[in-house]
Amino acid sequence: QAQANPAQVFGAQVSSYLNSIGLNDVDPRQITYQVNSADKLQNIIIPLGNGRSQTVFFNGGFPVPAGTAPQVAFSNTTGARRFLDVAEGSPATQSRLQTFYADPANAARRTNFNTNLQNITTAFLNLRSSGNLSGEARAAVQDALNTRQVATNRLAQGGLPNVLGVYQRLGDNLDVITRNQSSLNSSQRSSLNTLNSSLLPVGVQNYYLVPVGLSNTSAS
């Protein structure tokens, strides 16, 4: 039955998982389900709109066991930005993340989160210093730098910025620059590609999605 009608079998639990990561408006019937011969759910492909998608691999089992996190892959170089466009944060999730990042056992991930933000800043600075930018793109770079500075200050004070919110703001800045990319030179395009295809997706995966899963105390 699971292979014949996976949405009926897994739809409710998949919706619960999606809600846990901020995807509250996905129709389970529009999801592509990969079910093995033992009727176990292996992965799902979630349509995010505008031709983008997100694949979730349930290597640790499904429903997702408490304290574990599936691996996620975004489609092409803009999938992570599209996820950030449609994801919705919640106070409960941010509270869990605050507890997670405050745990000394997770100090390395907290440090790496800060490093990811610093690397993103470096790429934005390269965009600005490597050639001319339109006024709109220059303003987006400055807003990204300001966003990172506020987040870094919060971390330095022992707190935690709104993790999803920070990446969403950076994603919005990248949306603006991408719209203006026709005027970018090759060096600027390289920095933009690094942001879109590496630094932003890695940040969303490792410092938002994975901690959300690891901090979940019940199966989803």
Side-chain angles (χ1 to χ4, degrees):
Q1 183 182 8
Q3 294 185 59
N5 195 347
Q8 180 177 343
V9 175
F10 299 112
Q13 291 171 315
V14 164
S15 291
S16 176
Y17 165 73
L18 296 181
N19 289 341
S20 77
I21 62 172
L23 295 178
N24 301 324
D25 299 317
V26 177
D27 184 347
R29 295 169 298 180
Q30 301 302 314
I31 293 171
T32 300
Y33 298 80
Q34 182 67 44
V35 181
N36 67 15
S37 58
D39 284 342
K40 302 295 184 182
L41 184 61
Q42 299 293 287
N43 64 69
I44 56 174
I45 302 175
I46 308 157
L48 299 175
N50 293 343
R52 279 74 165 185
S53 64
Q54 173 182 344
T55 303
V56 182
F57 301 93
F58 299 112
N59 298 331
F62 186 85
V64 180
T68 68
Q71 288 298 304
V72 169
F74 297 106
S75 62
N76 59 58
T77 60
T78 58
R81 289 192 356 242
R82 182 59 186 167
F83 168 81
L84 293 170
D85 286 341
V86 299
E88 301 176 20
S90 75
T93 298
Q94 178 64 15
S95 178
R96 289 213 323 269
L97 291 176
Q98 287 173 331
T99 300
F100 175 86
Y101 277 107
D103 187 338
N106 300 317
R109 192 175 295 271
R110 181 184 179 91
T111 298
N112 291 338
F113 172 40
N114 193 36
T115 299
N116 177 252
L117 295 178
Q118 291 173 346
N119 291 338
I120 286 173
T121 295
T122 298
F124 273 109
L125 287 171
N126 287 341
L127 269 169
R128 187 168 68 181
S129 64
S130 299
N132 294 325
L133 291 171
S134 68
E136 187 180 31
R138 183 170 289 273
V141 169
Q142 187 58 54
D143 187 76
L145 298 178
N146 294 343
T147 297
R148 178 263 175 176
Q149 188 61 59
V150 171
T152 299
N153 289 346
R154 182 68 175 151
L155 288 168
Q157 294 164 0
L160 183 74
N162 184 316
V163 180
L164 179 61
V166 167
Y167 285 118
Q168 286 177 320
R169 189 66 174 261
L170 295 172
D172 288 343
N173 297 139
L174 285 173
D175 287 343
V176 172
I177 297 169
T178 301
R179 288 200 303 269
N180 290 268
Q181 66 178 311
S182 61
S183 62
L184 301 181
N185 60 38
S186 60
S187 178
Q188 290 171 313
R189 287 176 182 272
S190 177
S191 294
L192 180 61
N193 183 65
T194 297
L195 283 161
N196 278 327
S197 64
S198 178
L199 293 175
L200 187 71
V202 165
V204 173
Q205 163 77 356
N206 290 345
Y207 310 116
Y208 174 69
L209 291 172
V210 169
V212 166
L214 296 179
S215 63
N216 197 5
T217 57
S218 59
S220 61

